Amino acid sequence: MLFLTSDLHLGHARINELAGRPFDSVDEMNSALISNWNDVVDPTDSVIVLGDFVMGKKDETLPLVELLNGMIYLVPGNHDRVFPTDRQLAKWTPLYTAVGIRLLPAELSFGPLTLSHFPFDGDSHGEDRYSECRPTDRGQLLLHGHVHESWKVRGRQINVGVDVWDFAPVEYDRLLAAYTIENENTDAERTRGSDTD
């Protein structure tokens, strides 16, 4: 089975405050994220993490990845030390791969689907940061992270981040179903609006 997720921020002490997470400590958050992951992901499953996976002291947090089920692929985000613009990319790459992370490009496209840490537009901090790293909107469906709790589905953008998916990876089919439901509701609202005009 294929799962997607993003923005775990394992080891990041301030993310509980910044993203309004319900954990009292970074250790409690790490434990919950690992437990939730392993509750839904089997060892034979694949998980694509769309960025901002591991933070904090890397010698303490990278080993946490070895506690997670499944084959793990990482599309790097701005907080990952293997993001293409990181000045010490060559130093960090072997440390990430040593714990079983399979690195992917910062943007992947498969026909009408694009995977990126970043949305086309929108941010968790008001203004759109990292404009040079964002995918180009060519009318495709985009699976992304970066925006934390800002939205789940917004137009053709689906946020796979843990903050809106019960702090666990999400099955690919469930993401597509959420997109379909959201767009059916939007279409129905437009139809109702035009009927009253």
Side-chain angles (χ1 to χ4, degrees):
M1 212 176 275
L2 175 62
F3 291 83
L4 290 101
T5 191
S6 75
D7 299 286
L8 283 82
H9 285 242
L10 288 169
H12 184 189
R14 288 197 60 226
I15 196 63
N16 290 324
E17 172 193 343
L18 295 172
R21 292 185 177 179
F23 308 110
D24 292 328
S25 69
V26 69
D27 290 334
E28 181 185 343
M29 178 190 74
N30 289 343
S31 294
L33 291 171
I34 291 165
S35 177
N36 292 352
W37 178 300
N38 290 336
D39 283 347
V40 298
V41 177
D42 289 329
T44 56
D45 292 332
S46 294
V47 183
I48 302 174
V49 180
L50 298 183
D52 292 3
F53 192 9
V54 174
M55 293 182 66
K57 295 179 179 176
K58 299 298 184 284
D59 59 335
E60 296 174 7
T61 54
L62 273 172
L64 296 176
V65 173
E66 296 177 301
L67 302 175
L68 300 170
N69 287 341
M71 292 177 288
I72 301 171
Y73 300 85
L74 176 61
V75 171
N78 54 291
H79 287 298
D80 295 305
R81 297 305 302 260
V82 289
F83 194 64
T85 58
D86 194 290
R87 291 185 303 253
Q88 297 184 343
L89 180 63
K91 169 189 169 185
W92 288 104
T93 297
L95 299 175
Y96 275 69
T97 58
V99 296
I101 297 172
R102 294 153 178 90
L103 297 174
L104 297 172
E107 182 180 328
L108 289 173
S109 292
F110 308 94
L113 178 66
T114 295
L115 307 179
S116 171
H117 174 64
F118 299 101
F120 297 130
D121 59 72
D123 209 295
S124 60
H125 286 67
E127 67 187 57
D128 285 5
R129 300 166 298 152
Y130 304 100
S131 57
E132 70 283 359
C133 301
R134 292 174 183 259
T136 302
D137 186 350
R138 297 182 187 89
Q140 74 274 34
L141 182 63
L142 175 66
L143 302 181
H144 67 87
H146 188 64
V147 298
H148 291 274
E149 72 280 11
S150 297
W151 68 77
K152 190 178 269 189
V153 177
R154 182 176 171 214
R156 287 176 285 99
Q157 303 180 117
I158 304 172
N159 174 17
V160 304
V162 294
D163 295 291
V164 293
W165 292 101
D166 301 320
F167 300 102
V170 189
E171 289 178 50
Y172 175 71
D173 290 344
R174 186 173 168 213
L175 292 167
L176 294 185
Y179 168 75
T180 300
I181 290 166
E182 177 68 24
N183 283 285
E184 285 173 353
N185 291 340
T186 302
D187 290 345
E189 287 174 19
R190 277 194 210 114
T191 302
R192 278 196 299 274
S194 64
D195 289 345
T196 59
D197 290 344

